[in-house]
Amino acid sequence: MDKILKFFKKLWLFKERIVLVMLLGFLGYNVYKIFVPNEVEPVLPTRPGEVPVAKLPEPRMVDVPGSYRTLTQRNPFSYYSDAEIDPRGGLTGEEAGIKLLDIKEGAPGKWRARLKTKSSKWYDEGDSFEEFELQNIDPVGQTATVFAERFGKTVVLSVEK
């Protein structure tokens, strides 16, 4: 009986350490489950001659770091019942403070546009500069679509002659 009492006294003295070890083990197991994927089990064919198809896990949707476009642009798949429609058709280049001066072919199949804001420079599609982003260049219509971050709207610019 004396040995049993000593055992439980020692157990009582080390109770915090025992709980700590159990919690660390639980945490370690959950971290292991996150970083080690489950093995995919192939599905056996139900009829002779069928090829077994493996059931793949669903890919996780991860936000890309630095992607803040949804904060300033409206999602095209959402419905806005309170959306006001601009009767003029949107933002103009003068209001945004940008002009399209020229369009030329830089590399084969790649077009560049010379835009004037505070200075006049050549930009490729997808380039971000100052508070604008050049989204599209149409060499046939001599137009360029620019997104103005300050206004949260796109501007269609045409070459001034």
Side-chain angles (χ1 to χ4, degrees), residues 74-75 77-85:
R74 289 189 165 189
N75 186 347
F77 300 107
S78 298
Y79 174 74
Y80 295 93
S81 62
D82 60 344
E84 296 178 14
I85 298 174

Side-chain angles (χ1 to χ4, degrees), residues 33-47:
K33 282 194 322 187
I34 291 171
F35 288 111
V36 177
N38 295 337
E39 298 224 3
V40 179
E41 297 178 17
V43 178
L44 298 175
T46 55
R47 293 183 218 141

Side-chain angles (χ1 to χ4, degrees), residues 136-152:
N136 189 12
I137 299 173
D138 180 18
V140 177
Q142 293 290 300
T143 60
T145 306
V146 177
F147 177 72
E149 293 174 358
R150 180 172 38 154
F151 299 103

Side-chain angles (χ1 to χ4, degrees), residues 98-153:
I98 188 168
K99 290 182 183 178
L100 177 62
L101 302 176
D102 194 13
I103 294 177
K104 74 172 185 178
E105 188 172 11
K110 294 215 175 195
W111 293 90
R112 302 190 73 182
R114 187 169 61 156
L115 299 169
K116 181 178 182 182
T117 53
K118 295 175 185 172
S119 63
S120 176
K121 292 184 181 176
W122 289 95
Y123 297 101
D124 293 326
E125 281 186 4
D127 283 349
S128 294
F129 55 96
E130 295 175 18
E131 59 190 33
F132 302 102
E133 180 183 345
L134 180 59
Q135 292 182 337
N136 189 12
I137 299 173
D138 180 18
V140 177
Q142 293 290 300
T143 60
T145 306
V146 177
F147 177 72
E149 293 174 358
R150 180 172 38 154
F151 299 103
K153 295 182 179 179

